[in-house]
Amino acid sequence: MNKVFLIGNLTADPMATTFDSGHTNCRFTIAVNRFNRNNESNAADFISIVAWDALAQNCVKYLTKGSKVAVVGSIQTGSYEKDGVKRQTVDIRADQVEFLNRAGGSGNQGQQSNPVRRDSIDSLQEITDDGDDDMPF
């Protein structure tokens, strides 16, 4: 199983790229606090996140440097060659990004947030009340 759940803050504004195929990808990095059992010093890991298509567009539209997000996704590795040197990459491919700051707000953590999911963004439908009052709650 390859599943990752991270909460952190963006280190810079997201960067988007649109390809000839029409797909959009968005890259950003989040700083995630590292658990320190001895409480000696605060440390953070800087994790590269990649989102695609509608999720990427929403990230570019609503996130800025410092935004707090929760990311659910999977580890994706790759490699490339630059100047004759082979380099390895490790990214998190986002399936869901939850914006934890209020839009335009001061980042109150107790506020309700709205998740955005890659797998459901294209199939959003209007939610209607079917009038079923048999529900026990």
Side-chain angles (χ1 to χ4, degrees):
M1 179 183 294
N2 181 357
K3 193 74 157 172
V4 177
F5 180 84
L6 300 166
I7 296 177
N9 296 81
L10 271 70
T11 61
D13 291 345
M15 301 294 291
T17 304
T18 301
F19 298 96
D20 293 337
S21 64
H23 292 284
T24 301
N25 113 346
C26 164
R27 293 186 157 277
F28 55 94
T29 300
I30 61 173
V32 178
N33 290 331
R34 185 181 310 156
F35 176 73
N36 186 344
R37 189 174 294 215
N38 298 328
N39 245 357
E40 294 172 3
S41 64
N42 291 336
D45 292 306
F46 297 89
I47 312 293
S48 176
I49 310 294
V50 179
W52 287 90
D53 297 323
L55 178 58
Q57 293 168 3
N58 282 325
C59 288
V60 169
K61 185 175 181 180
Y62 295 110
L63 297 177
T64 59
K65 179 179 178 178
S67 297
K68 183 178 272 314
V69 295
V71 177
V72 177
S74 57
I75 295 174
Q76 178 176 290
T77 61
S79 64
Y80 65 94
E81 192 169 318
K82 183 175 181 181
D83 300 327
V85 177
K86 190 170 184 176
R87 300 172 191 264
Q88 300 291 323
T89 62
V90 177
D91 298 312
I92 303 303
R93 182 183 173 127
D95 294 323
Q96 178 181 352
V97 176
E98 188 166 335
F99 309 145
L100 300 178
N101 293 45
R102 282 184 62 176
S106 59
N108 295 337
Q109 295 181 15
Q111 300 297 329
Q112 201 171 30
S113 56
N114 297 319
V116 179
R117 298 169 196 253
R118 181 187 69 199
D119 58 349
S120 64
I121 221 74
D122 295 329
S123 62
L124 288 177
Q125 297 177 355
E126 183 177 337
I127 299 173
T128 59
D129 182 12
D130 62 3
D132 188 6
D133 295 329
D134 297 326
M135 301 300 277
F137 49 90

